[in-house]
Structures are given as structure tokens and as C-alpha cells.
Amino acid sequence: MLRRSRLFGRKIRVTFSLPPDRPEGVVSVVGDFNDWEPGRHELVKRRHGRRTVSVTLPPGVHRFRYLATGGVWFDDETADDRDEHGSLIRV
């Protein structure tokens, strides 16, 4: 699940959210906004049970995917669009 929050200027905070146990293990969101580097934006389990991480993004279209333990790549079903290269979000 994706949630957008407007910040100062034209920046937008995007919160990436997944269920607490699917998939199991560590999950990072990787994309063009972090040079596709795993571990930079690792989802953390919160009090409400979901795992989340927030990233501040400039306006535009950004491509991303999730990377889970064991090299499992997957896309976000709630993304603005998806194709063979991953998920897209427009901010």
C-alpha cells in the first residue's frame, strides 16, 4: 500500500507499507530514487503491525520494486501502474 503526504515546497513523502508477515524476512523498497540499492530503505515493523518506510520524493514518475530476503523481487499491487520492469508511482 502507498500513502502520499505533501511536504514543504514540491516534495512528497511516500510511505510504502506491507503486511507484517508477507513476505517473511527483511524487505527493502528499491528504486530509481535510491539507485536501486537494497537496504537503504528497509521496511520496519510498526506498533499497528504493518511494516513501513517513508521516502521523500521530488515530483515526477518513479520506478520501484520490493526486494525480500532470499532475493525475492515483487511489485506493489497498489502502485499507479506496473509493467515488466516494476511498479510506478506518480508524485
Side-chain angles (χ1 to χ4, degrees):
M1 181 170 77
L2 302 172
R3 188 177 72 232
R4 297 166 178 90
S5 304
R6 183 165 298 283
L7 299 176
F8 55 91
R10 298 179 60 204
K11 298 205 181 242
I12 303 290
R13 178 186 309 135
V14 177
T15 300
F16 299 87
S17 179
L18 294 173
D21 58 354
R22 287 187 325 248
E24 292 183 1
V26 176
V27 178
S28 294
V29 62
V30 293
D32 55 18
F33 48 84
N34 63 12
D35 295 324
W36 297 92
E37 186 178 323
R40 272 185 71 189
H41 293 106
E42 192 174 295
L43 282 78
V44 176
K45 189 171 182 177
R46 307 298 177 179
R47 283 184 280 167
H48 52 70
R50 294 189 67 83
R51 294 179 288 176
T52 69
V53 66
S54 295
V55 179
T56 301
L57 299 176
V61 178
H62 301 277
R63 185 174 299 280
F64 71 96
R65 295 192 82 197
Y66 295 105
L67 178 59
T69 298
V72 177
W73 289 92
F74 62 102
D75 296 315
D76 193 312
E77 295 177 3
T78 66
D80 295 334
D81 202 2
R82 290 180 288 163
D83 63 19
E84 66 276 5
H85 302 292
S87 302
L88 295 169
I89 183 170
R90 292 173 184 83
V91 293

